[in-house]
Amino acid sequence: MPIPPLTDAERAEALAALPDWSPRADGLAMERRFKFRDFSEAFAFMTRLALLAEKHDHHPEWSNVYNRVTVVLTTHDAGGLSERDTKLAKAIDKLLG
């Protein structure tokens, strides 16, 4: 079953509820940048996030440079942001407390 993308109104509402996430300029993704004390802490976060993403059956785009991790959420099957992205973003925020 195809995954529907969020409408413009749904996307605006979702991003308003996720203030630490920024929309990508094209509106098809959202991202958040994280900064940790060191590489080990960043890598530990990525490990926890990998397990969380797997439980959500969603696999984010991410990059890591030393103590920084950037996470980009989009649903390729939907051609942009979907409810799957907002659920994972909320779970990531909760993961960090």
Side-chain angles (χ1 to χ4, degrees), residues 23-44:
R24 198 166 65 188
D26 62 10
L28 300 177
M30 62 181 168
E31 76 172 29
R32 182 169 174 192
R33 296 170 189 232
F34 302 89
K35 188 172 181 182
F36 300 93
R37 284 182 298 200
D38 55 30
F39 176 76
S40 293
E41 193 174 289
F43 193 84

Side-chain angles (χ1 to χ4, degrees), residues 15-81:
L15 288 166
L18 295 163
D20 294 322
W21 292 83
S22 302
R24 198 166 65 188
D26 62 10
L28 300 177
M30 62 181 168
E31 76 172 29
R32 182 169 174 192
R33 296 170 189 232
F34 302 89
K35 188 172 181 182
F36 300 93
R37 284 182 298 200
D38 55 30
F39 176 76
S40 293
E41 193 174 289
F43 193 84
F45 166 73
M46 292 175 67
T47 302
R48 292 190 324 268
L49 175 52
L51 296 171
L52 180 66
E54 192 65 26
K55 286 181 185 177
H56 282 257
D57 192 29
H58 193 12
H59 306 100
E61 300 171 16
W62 63 20
S63 64
N64 165 242
V65 178
Y66 182 57
N67 67 337
R68 297 180 315 270
V69 177
T70 301
V71 177
V72 177
L73 299 178
T74 189
T75 302
H76 297 287
D77 292 343
L81 284 171

